[in-house]
Every structure is written in C-alpha cells, then in structure tokens.
Amino acid sequence: IVKTQFIAVGTKIVSVMRVLVKKSRSSFKSLFSGAKSRSEIVATFLALLELMRSGRVEVRDTEEEYNPEIRLIRNKKEREETP
C-alpha cells in the first residue's frame, strides 16, 4: 500500500514567505526544487496562488523561459509602484 503524505497549504505559505523574506525574490522553479512529493508540489503551487491573490507576492516574467520571478510585496506602496 502506498501512503500519501498530507501537506497543508498553510505550511507551504509560511515556507514560501520565509524564502521571500530572506531573499526578497526567488525564481519559480527554485520554490519547487526541494519538493519530495507530488503533494508537496501541489501545496506549494496553491500557496503561491493564495499569496498572489492576497497581494503579498507578484510574479514577473524573466528572460528564462518558464521560470518567472516571484517577488515579495512588503507594503501597500510597493504594490502601487508595480507596473
């Protein structure tokens, strides 16, 4: 029998925020690089969507194909300055 590990989206939100607080920016792919299971990948993606919806991060296209930059929005002013 195969066991599936449950990964809480809230836990991944905290994890993504920790990375972004330290570095302010991160590549999309690097947020998933340590994932050990499909469940962890899905939870990380849902966490990223929730952070985008709430306005705490923004996603910007980069020169590297399929690897956008994820940037932390620290305050309302930063959000307003974003083109």
Side-chain angles (χ1 to χ4, degrees):
I1 297 175
V2 177
K3 259 188 174 177
T4 302
Q5 183 182 9
F6 175 76
I7 308 288
V9 174
T11 301
K12 293 311 286 184
I13 287 173
V14 171
S15 173
V16 170
M17 288 298 290
R18 281 186 182 151
V19 169
L20 293 174
V21 165
K22 285 181 185 176
K23 299 193 309 184
S24 193
R25 300 167 193 263
S26 179
S27 72
F28 183 81
K29 288 180 182 177
S30 71
L31 291 176
F32 297 89
S33 63
K36 296 178 182 98
S37 67
R38 186 176 300 184
S39 295
E40 191 171 356
I41 291 169
V42 170
T44 302
F45 185 73
L46 292 174
L48 192 53
L49 289 177
E50 177 59 28
L51 289 168
M52 290 167 49
R53 186 192 65 77
S54 65
R56 292 186 276 176
V57 301
E58 73 172 0
V59 179
R60 289 188 176 183
D61 199 14
T62 62
E63 298 292 321
E64 189 177 342
E65 192 172 1
Y66 305 117
N67 195 20
E69 177 183 84
I70 312 301
R71 185 171 79 91
L72 177 65
I73 303 293
R74 294 184 186 270
N75 56 45
K76 185 179 177 183
K77 185 177 179 185
E78 280 186 19
R79 193 175 304 131
E80 292 169 353
E81 291 174 355
T82 303

